[in-house]
Amino acid sequence: MSSPTSLHLELPALPGELQGLRQEVRRFVAAERASGLLPYPDKIGLGFAPDVSRRIAAQGWIGMTWPKRYGGHERSALERYVVTEELLAAGVPVGAHWISDRQSGPVLLKFGTEAQKQEWLPKIVRAEVAFCIGMSEPDSGSDLASLRTSGTREEGGWRVNGTKLWTTNAHRVHCMIALIRTAKADEKNRQAGLTQVLIPLDSPGVTVRPIKSMVGVEDFNEVNFDHVFVPDSHVVGEPGNGWNQVSAELAYERSGPERWLSTFRLLAELVQALGPKPSDAARVEVGRLLGQLMAVRQISLSIASMLERGKTPTLEASIAKDLGTRLEQEMVRAVRNLVQQEDLWLRGEHAHLRSLLASAQRYAPAFTIRGGTGEILRGVIARGLGLR
Ligand SMILES: Cc1cc2nc3c(=O)[nH]c(=O)nc-3n(C[C@H](O)[C@H](O)[C@H](O)COP(=O)(O)OP(=O)(O)OC[C@H]3O[C@@H](n4cnc5c(N)ncnc54)[C@H](O)[C@@H]3O)c2cc1C
């Protein structure tokens, strides 16, 4: 049995001064909507709108916590949290900068070379480049250490061959941070020999094939590498240290507000459709969902403040993702039940609710798969608590 990691959830109160920032974001969203530049969301999902991302960048809301010397704004993680929360709750399409801001940028900041930071971070901050995450492969999702994309040593770099799968936005972004095997697998330490590399997606030998999901959209891809040359200057961190780096990265991926706010618009639309005098049953159900949302939000906020203090809260982030994504799925079921129970279909005027619910029902299975499945997360939690 591994030694237990202590479970730390410290619940920070959001300082009052953050209210000003929250209002600023709300004013931005209202102005964008009023100008017709930001359509009202009629689907679940992060959307992908580079022009919207550039206007968000112009507000100083990308790379908020990063050092000014890399174009960042040196603001706190809680300030970033408030901005993220407001944009997601309003259904603003943030997909064109989301992964780079949440994950790829912080990876480069933590493990990248000075040259990599100077090259990529200012461009991310201005929403000029975007990244995707190259971890999963055919037959290697949950068991990531079994991945087979390989880097073979050559003069000045690595020759990469293999296939990544389910890579969100690879067909729309500029660069992937890929996890590849650069040393032979060792059965006693399967996580050894993995390395993270930057691969610009216009490199010779890269083929990106979009995959249509059951939602009917092409958001993720299969990405094939056929003898792609990756120079040493594109290795992120130490060769062979990829597993530790990816573990740190996953804490960012698993704990943010996108893990409990994916279906928030659906709840907001429902409340609107129920009107000022909802039935007692509807009142109780909406109250129950909101209560659970607030509990998950506190956990997620606590993790944001731990990340700010340089910790790697792997166990806590797994709890946040497991609870948050299951709640998102439950919300879809609860809203559907209420819509039927309260005869909202018959009233005909709730077009947004109808289209959001239709897309949420098809999207919801993905919530507990992307970023690590529920079963895997519960395994991480059990291991962290010393139970296995
Ligand atoms: C919408 C979406 C976007 C995604 N975007 C990206 C991306 O941008 N980049 C990227 O790298 N990946 C991405 N993924 C892939 C995602 O991370 C994987 O799908 C996920 O990790 C599961 O891997 P898998 O699909 O290979 O399933 P498998 O690992 O084959 O799992 C199948 C089932 O078996 C269960 N299982 C597997 N192993 C165990 C075990 N040891 N104990 C108990 N149960 C187990 C799993 O929980 C699951 O229910 C995305 C996925 C989705 C749905």
Side-chain angles (χ1 to χ4, degrees):
M1 195 183 279
S2 59
S3 67
T5 310
S6 53
L7 176 63
H8 287 294
L9 287 173
E10 301 146 24
L11 301 181
L14 276 179
E17 63 264 24
L18 292 183
Q19 284 309 326
L21 179 59
R22 192 178 289 286
Q23 295 310 326
E24 215 182 297
V25 183
R26 286 184 185 175
R27 279 196 298 276
F28 168 81
V29 174
E32 288 270 309
R33 290 237 201 281
S35 65
L37 291 169
L38 190 64
Y40 202 76
D42 62 353
K43 283 194 188 66
I44 296 296
L46 289 178
F48 193 95
D51 53 331
V52 175
S53 288
R54 277 192 289 274
R55 292 199 293 279
I56 291 171
Q59 300 294 317
W61 294 336
I62 299 181
M64 281 181 80
T65 61
W66 306 351
K68 288 191 175 160
R69 66 183 180 283
Y70 303 126
H73 303 285
E74 297 189 3
R75 300 183 77 168
S76 71
L78 291 182
E79 286 177 296
R80 179 183 179 273
Y81 197 95
V82 163
V83 171
T84 310
E85 195 171 62
E86 283 300 319
L87 294 176
L88 292 178
V92 175
V94 294
H97 68 270
W98 180 249
I99 286 173
S100 320
D101 181 58
R102 173 191 72 187
Q103 198 160 336
S104 319
V107 167
L108 292 175
L109 206 50
K110 196 162 181 182
F111 301 107
T113 63
E114 188 54 31
Q116 286 167 353
K117 290 178 200 173
Q118 287 188 12
E119 177 176 0
W120 296 103
L121 296 178
K123 292 182 194 159
I124 294 177
V125 168
R126 295 192 298 266
E128 287 171 7
V129 300
F131 280 68
C132 59
I133 304 164
M135 294 189 197
S136 308
E137 297 187 3
D139 305 322
S140 299
S142 303
D143 183 16
L144 194 56
S146 69
L147 64 82
R148 287 173 296 183
T149 295
S150 63
T152 312
R153 190 71 195 140
E154 271 193 13
E155 174 79 34
W158 302 85
R159 190 65 65 181
V160 176
N161 282 288
T163 302
K164 293 288 170 185
L165 193 58
W166 315 127
T167 320
T168 301
N169 292 335
H171 56 321
R172 303 164 167 144
V173 301
H174 308 85
C175 198
M176 174 190 286
I177 296 185
L179 185 67
I180 63 169
R181 180 157 286 290
T182 50
K184 215 165 163 284
D186 171 358
E187 266 318 303
K188 292 204 184 93
N189 181 6
R190 298 170 68 242
Q191 288 87 8
L194 297 170
T195 300
Q196 281 191 304
V197 290
L198 284 158
I199 306 185
L201 293 167
D202 59 359
S203 306
V206 177
T207 310
V208 179
R209 188 177 68 85
I211 301 171
K212 194 174 266 188
S213 71
M214 64 192 239
V215 186
V217 294
E218 291 179 345
D219 279 341
F220 50 29
N221 300 268
E222 181 183 272
V223 184
N224 188 256
F225 303 110
D226 183 10
H227 292 82
V228 175
F229 183 69
V230 173
D232 285 330
S233 60
H234 284 186
V235 171
V236 180
E238 289 300 312
N241 192 40
W243 188 263
N244 290 335
Q245 296 176 198
V246 159
S247 303
E249 183 179 338
L250 284 172
Y252 292 105
E253 187 174 347
R254 290 178 172 165
S255 61
E258 77 277 20
R259 299 306 179 196
W260 53 275
L261 279 177
S262 310
T263 47
F264 183 77
R265 288 292 337 143
L266 188 61
L267 188 62
E269 283 295 335
L270 174 78
V271 169
Q272 188 104 25
L274 287 169
K277 289 190 179 150
S279 69
D280 284 349
R283 217 189 293 256
V284 167
E285 188 63 349
V286 171
R288 189 180 67 81
L289 292 170
L290 280 175
Q292 289 183 25
L293 265 183
M294 286 304 103
V296 175
R297 176 176 187 255
Q298 283 301 92
I299 295 174
S300 167
L301 259 172
S302 165
I303 295 168
S305 81
M306 292 167 82
L307 287 168
E308 181 164 38
R309 282 177 280 128
K311 297 188 179 176
T312 303
T314 310
L315 161 62
E316 292 83 351
S318 300
I319 294 175
K321 183 178 184 280
D322 189 35
L323 288 176
T325 54
R326 277 194 287 152
L327 178 56
E328 286 177 332
Q329 287 178 338
E330 196 201 328
M331 203 171 286
V332 179
R333 278 191 293 276
V335 170
R336 186 183 57 218
N337 289 345
L338 275 174
V339 160
Q340 280 168 353
Q341 209 173 292
E342 305 290 315
D343 274 349
L344 293 180
W345 287 148
L346 300 180
R347 295 189 209 162
E349 67 266 34
H350 309 297
H352 270 116
L353 178 60
R354 261 203 303 277
S355 70
L356 277 175
L357 184 53
S359 83
Q361 293 196 104
R362 280 178 290 155
Y363 211 110
F367 298 154
T368 50
I369 300 174
R370 58 183 185 183
T373 68
E375 290 79 10
I376 294 303
L377 295 171
R378 276 167 249 150
V380 172
I381 296 164
R383 192 175 305 114
L385 292 173
L387 302 173
R388 60 181 276 234

